[in-house]
Amino acid sequence: MSTEIAVAQANHDFRVVFMKDTLYQTGNSFSFNRVTITNISSIKQAIGLDLTVPENWQTLFDNHKIFQLGPNETLELPIRVAASYRALSNKLYPVILTINNSAIGAKTDYHYFAKVMANANWRAALINADVKLDRINKETYFQFRISNTGNVTQQFDINYKTGLNLTVAKRNNHISLQAGRDTIIRVGIIVQKKYLQEFKPQNVEIEISTKDKNQQTFIQHVYSNNTVFFENPSGWYTAPLSVELVSQNFSNKQQKINYINSSGIVFLENQRSLSFNFRSDNFYTENNGASNRYYNVNYATKHWRVSIGDQTEFSAFLIDGFGARIAYKADNGYQIEAVAVKSRVGNADQFNLRQEYLLNKSSGIINNTVLNFDIQQKENSILNITEYDKAFGKAGQLAILGGYGWNSINQPTLTANNTGATAGLRYNYNSPIFAIRTDNNISGRNFPGLERGVSRSSNELRFITGKFFFGGITEYNSRSVTLPDSNKMLSLFGGTTTEYGLRTGFINGRSSLTVTASIVNQLQDSLTNIPFKSNKLNITTGFGLLKNLNFSLTESVSRSFAQGSNYIKPIDAIAAFGTLQTRNSGVNFRLDNGPTYYSDLFNYVRTGIKTNRFQVSPYVEQDFFKSVLTTRVEVDYINDIGNQLKSYGARLDLNINLVKSGVYIRFYGNRNFSRENNLNSLNVSIRKTFDLPLIGLRKYSTLKVILFKDNNGNNIYDLGDEPVNAANIRIGDQYFITNKLGEAYYKNIKPKIYSIDLGQVTNLKGWIAKKGYNQQINFDKSQDWYIGYERSRFLSGSLNLVKDPLSKLEFSPSNIRITAISSKGESYSTLTDENGAFFLNLPADTYLVQINANVFTEEFRVLRENLNADLTTKSEEALVFEVRERKRTINIRKNKSN
């Protein structure tokens, strides 16, 4: 059926006729329609045509093309449109053709409707696309129907995607439906009644599929309407606050440590925030020792960060103390951060200044300046390090650094004034064929800070062929001590360690193997100690044995030689540690037989005691009550063969997480059952999180909406006007129902433009909102918003059911959606009541009224799914949709005579 579309704002120079006003789409294949455009003016005109299709649909129409039409000249164009794969089969989609008449500067829209047909073999439909939560019962149900219209039994898989709690599993639901049968699936939504005033509309995505991969997707909308709704719990700014009480070794009076941790943050407008961190001193403790208190207050904006209080920074010196930090980040990538503190330990003034310059998208410069004035030790240090970073695409990264420092000591027994330098080079390159890694740094013996006299080099070249690789490695680490170093520094850091060798292996999914054969030279603690040389083989492997079973092992075998000593025999050692684990259980094991590291080698030469121990630790992890309670239990068995000692122990970690109340409790500890020792401990931490309202600092406001019948037509709610109660409205995304005074309260909302949808007011016959069903309010502070109603056109209707007198099938006429679409494309919808009746209050216009026939089974059909209504001259009109039940037929087969 062709139709001529008339639009109120058209320029009347053209007549537009579509071949079909409603077109049915089959799957996602292209449908065909034709438009005829006639120039009914007396002059030649140029027009442009644009075709707008629903989101994710496709069209072959040539948009933006210019056409010349003379008087009474006609243009015919084909329109081909394909529906989206996820298009719903129970909805009319508008396809809009826009005529751009540049001569008069007018744009006129014409449209037809496309409807996606249900699957040829089966179909599904929601009974009601919008479900309101039940305020009396704990559970609210939504329903959808699945019909098997084929001739074989069909298996269906049903999955639900939602954050709501359902009465069924969210995945892997299966049903079997015989040919010609249909069924209604009923699913409950569980929401506590006390949360209804805070419930925000949510969707349940329903995916129904068959073994042949045919799929239909539906969106079930779930909402709760209240007279009062709180978008946010409080109208004030709130500070998310966390307070934690920690008690370590609380069963041991001599070793007991108690302290409090706390943190909080306030999010302000314009990307600003205010936060704090606090850790108390130990209390109710016999051995308090040094202060462990820590606290700071922080303020942040889009570009700035300021912190006052305790600060910690790891740089050339350990910067730790009370002071301030300020940082700035510009939009062009430049960053600067300055830290200044009075040291926590001793008496030192410490400063650190770091800057980052972005030269371009692939390179930048980092500069770091450190000042350390140690008043107690009478030692001053200043250093500056600059680093240049360069990226070569995604494969390579280069870093070059250099620095210079000054150190001055003025002690009674030592005076020094030295300068020193540092330099470094890092380069990483990765390609499908080979990879290079090199990291090198050298600091002079007079360069101040923790890196004084340190030289490091770590390098690897790896060739890659498919899943396998092979290459070589070198490692070098040395520290040269100088006069300013104390004896402790000399003991800890003096010495040299080198390693070089070959490495090979493979990586294949969850399985991997790395084998390294190397020579290791070690000298530590003092340059005069015995150096050792070791031949070492190291193997690291990991395998995914089953779906949830994994095995990892690191093993090393070595033979070490004491250099410069012929009377010390070669020292053999083997060390291995690994894990065999499933999803929530496993076992850790470790074996050490012989010394591997320098301290163990040196101790063996000095005392003759050889490391020889074995440890195995099975563990199990389990959660209960939907992860409210999580536990981990580990049992340790250690056999120290060298010292003839065996020990048995256990570790426990128990966590209780009460999310809704914001309480987190943890018990953890360990116990050695072989003997009493200082390692036994039992600890507990209790943390509470909550939002602290900052009274007086308002963040949100309240919108009050009042609906009334404006009987006297003066647009003011005054004497003689009536409130519109029990009206369902929507403000933004939230649903409301007005009280006896016609009021709805939207509390604690932020300033912005809100839309008010009045299209669901179905209890008011013959009245319509004066300013339309969709209104907008620019909300910037608490206010009352009045909406007046005036007399309107009235569309009513019902369903007329024609049943087969021989049938016993039941038919429910309720909750069937009726949609009226105006000539401007505006839609108004309602649901039928339990008797199949419906009504709509509408503006004066012509309407295409549609019934959602997709909810009917094969046994029932609608004689005409689309009816027309003209309310331009009439105040009301009644429509009837006729629903007929298919009649049963009796086939009489006659036998053929011979």
Side-chain angles (χ1 to χ4, degrees):
M1 180 184 71
S2 64
T3 183
E4 178 177 337
I5 307 296
V7 180
Q9 68 269 25
N11 54 56
H12 303 297
D13 286 346
F14 301 92
R15 181 172 64 246
V16 178
V17 178
F18 291 101
M19 183 176 67
K20 295 182 179 180
D21 61 346
T22 301
L23 195 64
Y24 288 89
Q25 303 283 144
T26 302
N28 59 352
S29 61
F30 282 92
S31 64
F32 179 83
N33 204 352
R34 182 177 293 278
V35 62
T36 301
I37 304 172
T38 304
N39 181 3
I40 59 176
S41 70
S42 60
I43 61 173
K44 186 177 182 178
Q45 298 198 50
I47 59 172
L49 300 178
D50 291 327
L51 189 73
T52 303
V53 297
E55 185 178 2
N56 296 323
W57 286 40
Q58 300 179 48
T59 179
L60 301 180
F61 193 86
D62 188 6
N63 278 332
H64 309 299
K65 192 173 182 178
I66 303 298
F67 298 91
Q68 298 279 348
L69 289 180
N72 295 318
E73 187 176 354
T74 296
L75 173 68
E76 288 189 1
L77 294 173
I79 299 176
R80 304 202 69 186
V81 172
S84 165
Y85 176 75
R86 299 177 71 87
L88 302 179
S89 59
N90 59 347
K91 180 178 179 182
L92 284 177
Y93 291 88
V95 178
I96 301 172
L97 178 68
T98 302
I99 296 182
N100 300 308
N101 190 344
S102 58
I104 61 174
K107 290 185 177 182
T108 307
D109 291 341
Y110 305 85
H111 63 267
Y112 71 90
F113 293 97
K115 183 175 181 180
V116 181
M117 296 179 65
N119 187 283
N121 297 318
W122 63 276
R123 66 177 184 174
L126 291 170
I127 302 300
N128 184 3
D130 298 305
V131 170
K132 182 176 69 174
L133 292 176
D134 195 325
R135 303 187 65 83
I136 299 176
N137 300 309
K138 181 179 178 181
E139 296 178 3
T140 301
Y141 291 90
F142 66 88
Q143 302 177 94
F144 57 94
R145 176 184 283 110
I146 302 177
S147 301
N148 182 2
T149 58
N151 56 9
V152 294
T153 299
Q154 191 78 266
Q155 304 292 330
F156 296 93
D157 297 329
I158 307 174
N159 295 316
Y160 306 93
K161 294 182 180 179
T162 181
L164 297 170
N165 292 326
L166 304 179
T167 56
V168 299
K170 294 183 180 180
R171 300 197 63 81
N172 301 321
N173 298 282
H174 311 287
I175 66 168
S176 178
L177 201 57
Q178 294 180 358
R181 296 295 183 89
D182 68 279
T183 185
I184 292 179
I185 308 297
R186 192 166 184 254
V187 180
I189 304 169
I190 304 173
V191 178
Q192 298 287 344
K193 287 187 287 186
K194 63 181 180 180
Y195 297 120
L196 290 179
Q197 282 196 337
E198 303 172 3
F199 185 87
K200 298 180 181 179
Q202 299 185 48
N203 291 330
V204 180
E205 183 175 329
I206 307 167
E207 290 184 354
I208 307 172
S209 60
T210 58
K211 290 185 177 180
D212 54 5
K213 304 302 181 183
N214 286 328
Q215 177 177 305
Q216 291 190 39
T217 302
F218 301 93
I219 303 298
Q220 177 68 66
H221 190 59
V222 182
Y223 68 95
S224 171
N225 62 346
N226 308 282
T227 298
V228 180
F229 179 78
F230 291 84
E231 179 70 21
N232 294 282
S234 172
W236 310 107
Y237 276 97
T238 58
L241 188 65
S242 172
V243 179
E244 180 183 26
L245 171 65
V246 180
S247 180
Q248 297 179 349
N249 301 314
F250 66 84
S251 61
N252 189 325
K253 184 177 180 180
Q254 286 73 31
Q255 298 180 5
K256 181 171 60 176
I257 297 174
N258 303 301
Y259 60 91
I260 294 175
N261 287 324
S262 182
S263 63
I265 185 170
V266 181
F267 293 101
L268 306 172
E269 297 176 347
N270 302 321
Q271 303 181 46
R272 298 176 300 144
S273 65
L274 184 66
S275 63
F276 77 92
N277 297 284
F278 171 77
R279 196 257 194 216
S280 71
D281 264 333
N282 299 334
F283 56 89
Y284 298 128
T285 302
E286 292 192 355
N287 300 313
N288 282 319
S291 174
N292 294 289
R293 185 181 63 230
Y294 179 93
Y295 62 91
N296 57 36
V297 178
N298 313 286
Y299 176 73
T301 68
K302 179 181 178 181
H303 296 290
W304 290 92
R305 288 187 299 114
V306 179
S307 177
I308 298 176
D310 290 296
Q311 312 293 329
T312 301
E313 183 81 15
F314 293 94
S315 184
F317 293 87
L318 172 59
I319 297 177
D320 181 25
F322 184 85
R325 180 192 303 266
I326 184 169
Y328 173 78
K329 182 178 181 180
D331 291 333
N332 61 4
Y334 172 73
Q335 299 182 55
I336 182 171
E337 181 179 71
V339 180
V341 304
K342 171 68 75 172
S343 65
R344 182 189 301 269
V345 179
N347 183 14
D349 296 327
Q350 299 178 303
F351 306 89
N352 187 83
L353 178 66
R354 176 185 171 88
Q355 301 180 76
E356 292 188 23
Y357 307 83
L358 188 63
L359 302 179
N360 50 51
K361 291 183 178 180
S362 62
S363 62
I365 294 177
I366 301 174
N367 181 265
N368 202 53
T369 302
V370 181
L371 291 80
N372 188 77
F373 302 128
D374 193 331
I375 301 171
Q376 180 175 330
Q377 298 294 329
K378 296 184 178 180
E379 179 177 355
N380 299 323
S381 300
I382 300 175
L383 61 89
N384 181 273
I385 301 174
T386 300
E387 177 178 320
Y388 170 76
D389 294 323
K390 172 69 175 178
F392 300 94
K394 296 182 179 180
Q397 292 182 325
L398 171 69
I400 303 173
L401 65 88
Y404 195 76
W406 168 79
N407 179 250
S408 173
I409 302 176
N410 189 17
Q411 298 175 358
T413 59
L414 177 62
T415 301
N417 194 1
N418 301 311
T419 59
T422 186
L425 171 68
R426 294 194 308 272
Y427 181 71
N428 292 294
Y429 180 82
N430 294 280
S431 76
I433 301 174
F434 69 93
I436 300 173
R437 174 186 58 82
T438 181
D439 189 349
N440 307 275
N441 183 267
I442 181 170
S443 297
R445 300 173 64 183
N446 294 320
F447 186 75
L450 299 175
E451 294 294 301
R452 179 195 301 272
V454 174
S455 298
R456 295 193 190 91
S457 181
S458 177
N459 309 276
E460 181 177 4
L461 174 61
R462 179 178 293 190
F463 295 95
I464 304 169
T465 171
K467 300 173 182 177
F468 296 89
F469 64 88
F470 64 92
I473 62 162
T474 64
E475 302 282 342
Y476 176 83
N477 193 316
S478 174
R479 178 179 179 88
S480 301
V481 295
T482 57
L483 183 62
D485 290 287
S486 67
N487 291 331
K488 183 177 181 181
M489 297 284 283
L490 177 67
S491 173
L492 291 176
F493 296 105
T496 302
T497 300
T498 64
E499 182 177 5
Y500 56 91
L502 301 175
R503 177 171 290 169
T504 186
F506 72 88
I507 300 174
N508 183 19
R510 292 167 56 200
S511 301
S512 64
L513 172 68
T514 301
V515 179
T516 305
S518 62
I519 297 175
V520 182
N521 294 289
Q522 301 181 74
L523 174 60
Q524 295 179 11
D525 298 339
S526 173
L527 298 178
T528 60
N529 278 344
I530 301 173
F532 289 91
K533 180 179 181 179
S534 304
N535 298 326
K536 186 177 180 182
L537 179 66
N538 190 86
I539 301 174
T540 301
T541 185
F543 293 98
L545 303 177
L546 298 173
K547 182 179 180 180
N548 294 316
L549 182 62
N550 298 281
F551 174 74
S552 63
L553 174 67
T554 298
E555 180 182 11
S556 67
V557 180
S558 64
R559 169 165 283 191
S560 302
F561 306 89
Q563 300 295 289
S565 178
N566 296 325
Y567 65 89
I568 300 177
K569 295 181 179 180
I571 307 169
D572 296 327
I574 181 172
F577 60 90
T579 300
L580 179 67
Q581 63 180 20
T582 62
R583 185 174 62 179
N584 50 10
S585 63
V587 58
N588 301 315
F589 57 89
R590 182 183 183 96
L591 170 67
D592 294 286
N593 188 355
T596 301
Y597 300 104
Y598 183 85
S599 58
D600 293 330
L601 288 166
F602 185 78
N603 185 63
Y604 173 71
V605 171
R606 187 170 57 87
T607 64
I609 299 176
K610 184 178 181 181
T611 305
N612 188 5
R613 58 177 174 264
F614 174 73
Q615 178 179 350
V616 59
S617 303
Y619 69 89
V620 61
E621 299 172 343
Q622 187 62 51
D623 62 332
F624 304 91
F625 313 114
K626 296 183 179 180
S627 298
V628 172
L629 174 64
T630 59
T631 60
R632 176 186 170 98
V633 179
E634 179 178 320
V635 179
D636 297 327
Y637 166 73
I638 302 174
N639 186 357
D640 190 342
I641 301 173
N643 295 311
Q644 297 183 347
L645 293 174
K646 294 182 180 180
S647 64
Y648 305 87
R651 303 172 188 270
L652 172 67
D653 197 336
L654 186 148
N655 301 272
I656 302 173
N657 193 5
L658 306 175
V659 177
K660 292 183 178 180
S661 58
V663 176
Y664 177 85
I665 304 173
R666 181 188 180 198
F667 293 94
Y668 58 103
N670 60 274
R671 175 76 179 178
N672 190 314
F673 298 103
S674 301
R675 61 187 185 278
E676 293 292 334
N677 58 52
N678 293 333
L679 297 179
N680 294 331
S681 69
L682 186 59
N683 318 287
V684 63
S685 71
I686 303 173
R687 185 172 74 244
K688 168 68 177 176
T689 60
F690 51 90
D691 290 330
L692 180 67
L694 304 178
I695 306 300
L697 191 59
R698 180 165 291 281
K699 184 177 182 180
Y700 302 113
S701 302
T702 295
L703 172 62
K704 177 182 175 183
V705 176
I706 305 101
L707 276 59
F708 68 97
K709 294 179 182 178
D710 191 8
N711 289 319
N712 54 20
N714 64 354
N715 296 320
I716 300 175
Y717 188 24
D718 52 16
L719 188 64
D721 294 336
E722 302 174 46
V724 179
N725 58 17
N728 294 306
I729 66 173
R730 189 175 70 182
I731 306 175
D733 294 325
Q734 188 58 45
Y735 292 78
F736 295 83
I737 183 169
T738 57
N739 60 17
K740 293 181 180 180
L741 301 177
E743 301 167 338
Y745 295 84
Y746 201 179
K747 294 202 166 191
N748 302 334
I749 59 177
K750 61 183 179 181
K752 70 173 187 178
I753 296 176
Y754 288 89
S755 62
I756 302 178
D757 183 1
L758 306 168
Q760 302 301 318
V761 180
T762 58
N763 62 333
L764 194 62
K765 295 184 179 181
W767 291 83
I768 191 171
K770 285 187 172 184
K771 297 182 180 179
Y773 280 107
N774 292 290
Q775 302 184 16
Q776 287 191 332
I777 173 173
N778 190 358
F779 179 77
D780 57 359
K781 62 181 180 180
S782 293
Q783 58 183 288
D784 297 343
W785 186 261
Y786 291 89
I787 298 177
Y789 276 73
E790 62 183 357
R791 292 287 182 180
S792 71
R793 304 295 199 268
F794 181 67
L795 177 67
S796 62
S798 62
L799 305 185
N800 179 33
L801 178 62
V802 180
K803 286 183 62 65
D804 181 353
L806 301 177
S807 172
K808 295 182 179 180
L809 290 177
E810 294 183 358
F811 175 79
S812 174
S814 64
N815 290 321
I816 299 175
R817 184 165 296 279
I818 307 295
T819 303
I821 305 173
S822 72
S823 63
K824 301 176 184 178
E826 298 174 336
S827 64
Y828 309 86
S829 62
T830 187
L831 299 175
T832 58
D833 62 19
E834 62 274 9
N835 299 315
F838 63 89
F839 78 90
L840 286 166
N841 299 310
L842 300 170
D845 205 338
T846 58
Y847 293 90
L848 177 68
V849 185
Q850 178 207 13
I851 185 172
N852 180 18
N854 206 40
V855 299
F856 297 113
T857 65
E858 287 295 312
E859 286 78 12
F860 298 92
R861 65 183 181 88
V862 182
L863 189 62
R864 291 181 59 190
E865 297 181 17
N866 300 303
L867 300 176
N868 294 314
D870 188 350
L871 294 176
T872 56
T873 58
K874 296 180 291 185
S875 61
E876 63 179 85
E877 185 169 346
L879 302 176
V880 176
F881 286 98
E882 187 167 307
V883 181
R884 294 184 177 181
E885 183 178 2
R886 297 183 186 273
K887 292 185 177 181
R888 296 184 178 183
T889 59
I890 301 175
N891 295 323
I892 301 176
R893 179 177 299 176
K894 294 183 179 181
N895 294 326
K896 293 183 179 180
S897 59
N898 295 329

